[in-house]
Amino acid sequence: NNEPNNKQYIQLKDDLNKLINLTNNLILNADDNDELDNQLDEQLDNQIDEHESINYLPEKTGSIVIGENIIVYSGERPYAAVYLGMESTNDKQNDEIDLQCKVKYYEFEQEVVIPFITIQRIPPGVFKTEELTIGLKCQCKYSADQKFYNAEVTGFTKYGVIVKYLEYGNIEEVPIEFLQPLKQKKVNKTNNQNEKGLIEISDKLKILPTDTEEEKARKKKRLKAIKNHNRIVMKEQELKEAQQSWQSFINKGTKRSFSGINKKSIFTTREEENKNKIQLEITNKKRN
């Protein structure tokens, strides 16, 4: 460089150094982002917000009784059904009793006899029958894929309820245990999330001497998830700033006039350089 004190050169050098540092930071951060994302996803999936927790009814105990809703594990997925009683059949060849039971599937009209070992008591639900009304908006587990969708109660049957899936319009009969309340929309994604996306740690998460071991473990897990979330948000902000800096560098580079700086490309070959010299000499002779 012939002009070490050239202001434009110094500014360009500073911009390049900043860009190199930002790029190095992004490379280092990229190695950590995937691991942090996986940790956060796993931890947040296991978190149950105390304001959105679902209060399930107590689990039933004892023998399954006639008229009780059950799940039949047969084929590719579980099926909801109603237990209608035992039916024993004798195996004359082996002199053994094969325990069978009669069930009525929610998805089919006919009653069938199946092995008793294929049935299981349905997990407890949220609603009691007397709490349901026609027109109630809720979420319902769709039989085909076992996922929850927004639905409306449109009627009652002998054993369950009729629901209409609001987004799709299809109707089916389901056990009452398949219903759960509508999910409440979160404000700003998290109760204490600020405008930058960072989650502020609530006083409720402070570990107290009176907390049980289970409560302490829950708070620690939540705190760790929040810290990981905030780290990712901050790194995303760095990414954004780096992109803006890079764009700014490009824009300034295209507009800047680099007086005093050799603009010859480092990729120019010797042959091209000789041609340029010859062309320059011819031009100068013509002028003279």
Side-chain angles (χ1 to χ4, degrees), residues 89-99:
T89 59
N90 292 324
D91 188 337
K92 295 181 180 179
Q93 291 182 351
N94 299 322
D95 218 11
E96 294 179 353
I97 297 177
D98 185 16
L99 292 178

Side-chain angles (χ1 to χ4, degrees), residues 205-254:
L205 293 177
K206 289 182 179 179
I207 298 177
L208 305 175
T210 55
D211 289 341
T212 63
E213 292 301 319
E214 182 179 356
E215 182 67 12
K216 289 178 181 178
R218 187 192 70 80
K219 288 183 177 180
K220 288 179 180 178
K221 194 172 184 179
R222 179 60 177 162
L223 285 169
K224 189 175 181 181
I226 291 175
K227 289 177 181 178
N228 280 338
H229 168 84
N230 288 345
R231 286 174 63 188
I232 291 175
V233 170
M234 292 175 68
K235 288 183 178 181
E236 288 177 347
Q237 183 63 30
E238 289 179 10
L239 280 170
K240 186 176 179 181
E241 290 175 358
Q243 290 172 347
Q244 292 174 346
S245 178
W246 170 244
Q247 188 62 50
S248 175
F249 168 73
I250 292 175
N251 293 338
K252 286 192 290 185
T254 55

Side-chain angles (χ1 to χ4, degrees), residues 119-161:
I119 74 170
Q120 184 176 316
R121 175 174 275 128
I122 197 168
V126 179
F127 294 106
K128 297 179 181 179
T129 305
E130 58 269 22
E131 295 175 336
L132 297 178
T133 57
I134 293 177
L136 174 71
K137 301 291 193 303
C138 60
Q139 284 205 322
C140 181
K141 185 190 291 185
Y142 181 46
S143 300
D145 61 11
Q146 300 290 294
K147 295 180 180 179
F148 282 91
Y149 298 92
N150 292 337
E152 178 183 356
V153 176
T154 60
F156 297 91
T157 63
K158 183 178 181 180
Y159 300 110
V161 295

Side-chain angles (χ1 to χ4, degrees), residues 3-115:
E3 298 182 54
N5 297 322
N6 185 289
K7 293 182 180 181
Q8 291 178 330
Y9 170 77
I10 294 172
Q11 184 62 46
L12 173 63
K13 184 178 179 181
D14 290 341
D15 288 343
L16 285 171
N17 285 331
K18 289 179 182 179
L19 181 62
I20 291 169
N21 291 332
L22 284 168
T23 304
N24 288 334
N25 288 333
L26 291 178
I27 293 172
L28 292 174
N29 290 340
D31 295 332
D32 298 330
N33 276 346
D34 289 342
E35 183 180 354
L36 284 173
D37 284 341
N38 292 336
Q39 290 178 358
L40 184 63
D41 287 342
E42 181 180 353
Q43 289 165 353
L44 291 181
D45 285 344
N46 293 329
Q47 294 298 326
I48 300 177
D49 195 304
E50 59 185 354
H51 298 291
E52 295 186 355
S53 60
I54 297 175
N55 297 317
Y56 291 96
L57 297 174
E59 291 191 14
K60 296 180 180 179
T61 58
S63 301
I64 298 175
V65 299
I66 294 176
E68 187 175 339
N69 288 324
I70 58 172
I71 293 292
V72 180
Y73 291 92
S74 175
E76 297 179 352
R77 63 175 174 85
Y79 293 85
V82 180
Y83 176 74
L84 300 179
M86 292 294 299
E87 288 203 4
S88 300
T89 59
N90 292 324
D91 188 337
K92 295 181 180 179
Q93 291 182 351
N94 299 322
D95 218 11
E96 294 179 353
I97 297 177
D98 185 16
L99 292 178
Q100 304 276 325
C101 64
K102 182 184 289 187
V103 303
K104 191 266 180 188
Y105 287 103
Y106 272 91
E107 298 176 56
F108 312 106
E109 292 295 330
Q110 67 273 22
E111 299 175 1
V112 296
V113 176
I114 61 174

